[in-house]
């Protein structure tokens, strides 16, 4: 797949040259020239905390996050999924493949390149992860079965807090 207009794929080892520019949020490389030198393994994820990532400090870095898939489907030409992690929401955008609808409500761990979503004042509104393929997504907890396939609960247990069943 192509990243932007450059003929590169995830895992390509490249020599990049160009001119630095201000970008809309962070500096960018303008008039880029790329020479593919070979293939390399993807890097280990950044050691930034999830909170730092959601504050925009993970912009353009390879990161790892967890969360609960809330929605899947195409968005702006990408296979995508909406994910919740505590009070935060983020979107996964896949370069190839798709996130199965059967993964809705699954708790996942995902690795991808972090992209910051910002407004015209360069204020961070949220993040998105650009993920090369579904093999960068690990299902940690499968989604619960349908409403008629769950275990029967005694009525006195309903509406009680259970840490193992807490959302997000």
């Amino acid at each position: 797949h192509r990243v932007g207009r450059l003929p590169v794929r995830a895992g390509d080892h490249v020599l990049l040259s160009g001119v630095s520019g201000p970008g809309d949020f962070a500096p960018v490389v303008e008039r880029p020239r790329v020479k593919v030198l070979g293939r390399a393994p993807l890097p280990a994820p950044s050691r930034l905390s999830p909170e730092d990532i959601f504050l925009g400090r993970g912009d353009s870095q390879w990161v790892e996050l967890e969360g609960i898939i809330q929605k899947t489907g195409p968005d702006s030409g990408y296979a995508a999924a909406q994910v919740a992690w505590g009070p935060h929401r983020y979107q996964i955008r896949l370069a190839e493949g798709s996130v199965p609808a059967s993964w809705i409500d699954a708790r996942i761990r995902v690795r991808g390149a972090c992209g910051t979503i910002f407004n015209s004042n360069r204020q961070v509104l949220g993040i998105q992860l650009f993920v090369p393929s579904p093999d960068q997504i690990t299902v940690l907890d499968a989604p619960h079965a349908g409403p008629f396939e769950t275990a029967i609960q005694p009525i006195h247990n309903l509406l009680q807090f259970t840490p193992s069943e807490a959302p997000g």
Side-chain angles (χ1 to χ4, degrees):
H1 277 80
R2 297 170 67 89
V3 177
R5 295 170 290 158
L6 303 175
V8 296
R9 299 176 317 171
D12 281 349
H13 182 198
V14 301
L15 176 63
L16 174 66
S17 60
V19 178
S20 62
D24 292 330
F25 176 69
V28 297
V29 177
E30 295 179 346
R31 298 190 306 270
R33 290 180 306 282
V34 174
K35 179 178 179 183
V36 177
L37 303 174
R39 300 283 295 159
L42 293 172
S46 165
R47 293 187 166 271
L48 288 173
S49 71
E51 285 301 327
D52 282 339
I53 294 169
F54 285 107
L55 288 172
R57 294 184 183 123
D59 188 59
S60 302
Q61 294 188 44
W62 187 254
V63 300
E64 180 177 78
L65 288 173
E66 292 187 11
I68 307 290
I69 294 179
Q70 295 185 318
K71 176 182 165 186
T72 66
D75 183 46
S76 302
Y78 288 93
Q82 293 288 330
V83 182
W85 180 79
H88 303 287
R89 305 287 178 267
Y90 64 97
Q91 186 168 50
I92 295 170
R93 295 177 176 269
L94 283 162
E96 60 183 49
S98 63
V99 179
S102 62
W103 287 6
I104 292 175
D105 291 333
R107 188 169 70 89
I108 63 159
R109 179 180 300 125
V110 59
R111 290 181 175 186
C114 184
T116 305
I117 301 167
F118 50 89
N119 64 18
S120 61
N121 294 323
R122 296 185 178 197
Q123 296 167 320
V124 176
L125 300 176
I127 64 159
Q128 55 193 334
L129 292 188
F130 294 93
V131 179
S133 64
D135 64 349
Q136 296 298 318
I137 303 171
T138 302
V139 175
L140 301 173
D141 291 318
H144 292 290
F148 301 107
E149 299 172 18
T150 57
I152 296 174
Q153 297 276 334
I155 198 161
H156 67 275
N157 286 355
L158 297 178
L159 299 177
Q160 300 293 314
F161 176 76
T162 306
S164 64
E165 295 179 13

